[in-house]
Amino acid sequence: LWNPELRLDLERSAPDRWHMPQDAEPGPWLVLGWQSAWCRFRPKVTLVQGEPTGEASELQNISGKTWRNERLQAFNAYLTQCMEEPSDAPWNELARYLAAGIALPATLFDFIECVIARPEALPYIMLELDSTRFNQVWRAMETTPLDWSLVPTLAWLRAFEARIHRARRLIDE
């Protein structure tokens, strides 16, 4: 869950048992059971003990919280912080988390649930996705309780302005 794009296969220890590989990075992992394109059992979060290999971002720290209520409060506070300073927010990291959930029910991820509750944050995140991921995430979000018409036009305009401001700052550096 600290790196939503990272995938690894569990190692089979018996006909009906699997375990995490020895070289799995420390932190929380979402364990999924796939058969072809179908997730066949209820996802489970497991924790690999040890020190993280790098400094964890704020989003990674939130994802690692044990209690769901703590995660939801922290994700909401984080989104609020990002919305207050949109030019400085790590929208690309948020976009990776959002895109990671497209193959599963979006409501499985607390972060996605928070984004659905704050539709004005969605344009900032969506603009970080390439065109393929944008379309995939858009379709996946249509399977959630989110109604795209609730995303204010002003939110899209502000997201574009923040993106332009960030690009100008990069050019000036």
Side-chain angles (χ1 to χ4, degrees), residues 102-170:
I102 62 174
L104 299 165
T107 53
L108 172 68
F109 297 94
D110 297 333
F111 169 69
I112 295 175
E113 188 176 322
C114 291
V115 170
I116 291 168
R118 302 279 307 269
E120 68 276 9
L122 204 49
Y124 294 92
I125 299 169
M126 296 294 288
L127 291 178
E128 292 296 325
L129 301 168
D130 63 36
S131 61
T132 302
R133 280 284 205 216
F134 184 97
N135 290 331
Q136 290 171 338
V137 170
W138 186 283
R139 282 193 303 273
M141 292 304 285
E142 287 180 335
T143 67
T144 71
L146 173 78
D147 181 355
W148 281 104
S149 67
L150 296 178
V151 180
T153 303
L154 188 57
W156 286 99
L157 293 173
R158 287 183 177 150
F160 280 113
E161 288 172 357
R163 190 170 174 93
I164 290 167
H165 179 71
R166 201 168 53 231
R168 284 186 180 142
R169 241 190 14 223
L170 288 172

Side-chain angles (χ1 to χ4, degrees), residues 20-95:
M20 295 293 287
Q22 293 293 330
D23 61 347
E25 292 183 23
W29 284 84
L30 183 64
V31 179
L32 305 167
W34 291 93
Q35 182 181 23
S36 188
W38 293 85
C39 187
R40 293 293 187 179
F41 76 92
R42 184 181 198 96
K44 177 184 181 347
V45 174
T46 189
L47 183 65
V48 174
Q49 298 295 330
E51 289 296 316
T53 53
E55 189 172 325
S57 71
E58 190 171 351
L59 195 57
Q60 289 172 325
N61 287 331
I62 294 169
S63 296
K65 290 186 179 296
T66 304
W67 301 105
R68 184 173 192 274
N69 286 340
E70 286 181 29
R71 283 193 309 273
L72 290 174
Q73 287 176 344
F75 278 134
N76 279 316
Y78 188 65
L79 279 175
T80 298
Q81 177 187 341
C82 289
M83 296 293 295
E84 288 171 358
E85 290 296 327
S87 296
D88 297 325
W91 297 112
N92 59 345
E93 184 180 14
L94 293 164

